[in-house]
Amino acid sequence: MNAAAHILVVDDDAEIRDLLSRFLAKHGYRVTAAAEGRAMRKVLANAAIDLVILDVMLPGEDGLSLCRELRASSAVPIVMLTAVGEDVDRIVGLEMGADDYVAKPFNPRELLARIRAVLRRSGASAGGLSGSRRAEAAVLSFQGWRLDLDRRELTGPDGTLVPLSAGEHGLLAALALHPQRVLSRDQLLDLARGRGANAFDRSIDVQISRLRRKIEDDPREPALIKTVRGGGYMFAAEVRRS
């Protein structure tokens, strides 16, 4: 039997850490909790973590700084906990590589749904890492790039592996699987993430910007991911599937 996905909860509120630890364990996950950045690093150094729940408002090093640090060295999925109405925190968190966010105070079931969606995109679940190939698994090739949907790997024209967060991978896959077609933000949310409650559609713009910086020769004049005024985005490259 595969081990359950291992979730790290980073929050300075002991009540929230306890609530989430018990709730997620009840739904089949292994859970470790940490109160701040130093404890988070210690856990990550000694355990294989499948997803990090990271509060923005932490003492000392805040969650946004820790998110940036995590993303610089790891592709581990990150779900941020933000204050209600703090769109700036959400945008900055997504810019730094977070995969999703939930506003406090939150419904634990909404958080659970977001966790499950992010883990599906990253290849893990409450039943452990999935070894089965998805029906749509394939390698998508475009202008020298290779996106392996099964291995979740993006390889550049020079053969270099380009790290993608789970959210970025899901978005690029959605675009590349529907080339030459205008997709609205709502469609991209549905295709890439599975629309969650109160989905924040501007997060698509943020992750498009991150993708462009990774795959475009000139992100300011994108040739692959085109913006369609009033419509959404279109993947303009010819895509071969193998």
Side-chain angles (χ1 to χ4, degrees), residues 55-86:
D55 186 24
V56 169
M57 300 298 293
L58 292 172
E61 298 172 285
D62 62 52
L64 295 174
S65 299
L66 293 174
C67 178
R68 180 176 56 225
E69 176 186 319
L70 277 173
R71 190 52 71 233
S73 60
S74 170
V76 63
I78 301 169
V79 176
M80 303 289 295
L81 300 180
T82 69
V84 170
E86 291 297 329

Side-chain angles (χ1 to χ4, degrees), residues 4-206:
H6 192 172
I7 295 175
L8 171 59
V9 177
V10 185
D11 197 303
D12 63 318
D13 188 319
E15 185 175 344
I16 289 179
R17 293 198 306 272
D18 182 60
L19 180 151
L20 288 179
S21 295
R22 289 186 285 106
F23 180 78
L24 293 173
K26 178 181 176 182
H27 286 85
Y29 296 99
R30 296 174 57 206
V31 185
T32 299
E36 36 72 38
R38 184 170 55 181
M40 178 195 80
R41 295 186 190 95
K42 184 175 181 180
V43 173
L44 291 169
N46 292 282
I49 298 297
D50 296 303
L51 181 142
V52 177
I53 298 173
L54 183 58
D55 186 24
V56 169
M57 300 298 293
L58 292 172
E61 298 172 285
D62 62 52
L64 295 174
S65 299
L66 293 174
C67 178
R68 180 176 56 225
E69 176 186 319
L70 277 173
R71 190 52 71 233
S73 60
S74 170
V76 63
I78 301 169
V79 176
M80 303 289 295
L81 300 180
T82 69
V84 170
E86 291 297 329
D87 285 353
V88 171
D89 284 347
R90 301 179 191 185
I91 292 172
V92 173
L94 291 165
E95 273 283 0
M96 291 180 177
D99 295 286
D100 208 342
Y101 60 85
V102 173
K104 288 183 174 181
F106 56 85
N107 183 321
R109 292 193 175 278
E110 178 188 350
L111 178 59
L112 178 64
R114 299 296 184 95
I115 288 169
R116 285 173 171 167
V118 171
L119 286 174
R120 280 196 299 271
R121 296 198 303 270
S122 68
S125 69
L129 297 179
S130 173
S132 61
R133 296 180 64 88
R134 295 176 299 169
E136 72 272 22
V139 175
L140 306 179
S141 302
F142 51 92
Q143 294 194 6
W145 293 86
R146 286 169 47 86
L147 179 64
D148 190 318
L149 299 182
D150 191 41
R151 293 178 178 273
R152 302 183 50 78
E153 292 179 347
L154 176 65
T155 306
D158 61 356
T160 301
L161 284 177
V162 178
L164 295 176
S165 71
E168 292 164 357
H169 175 273
L171 182 56
L172 181 56
L175 287 163
L177 284 167
H178 301 85
Q180 315 298 327
R181 175 180 166 187
V182 178
L183 297 173
S184 69
R185 292 183 181 87
D186 283 349
Q187 288 174 314
L188 285 169
L189 281 166
D190 289 334
L191 290 168
R193 302 171 58 182
R195 178 176 284 274
N198 302 315
F200 181 52
D201 67 358
R202 306 308 289 187
S203 67
I204 292 294
D205 299 333
V206 175

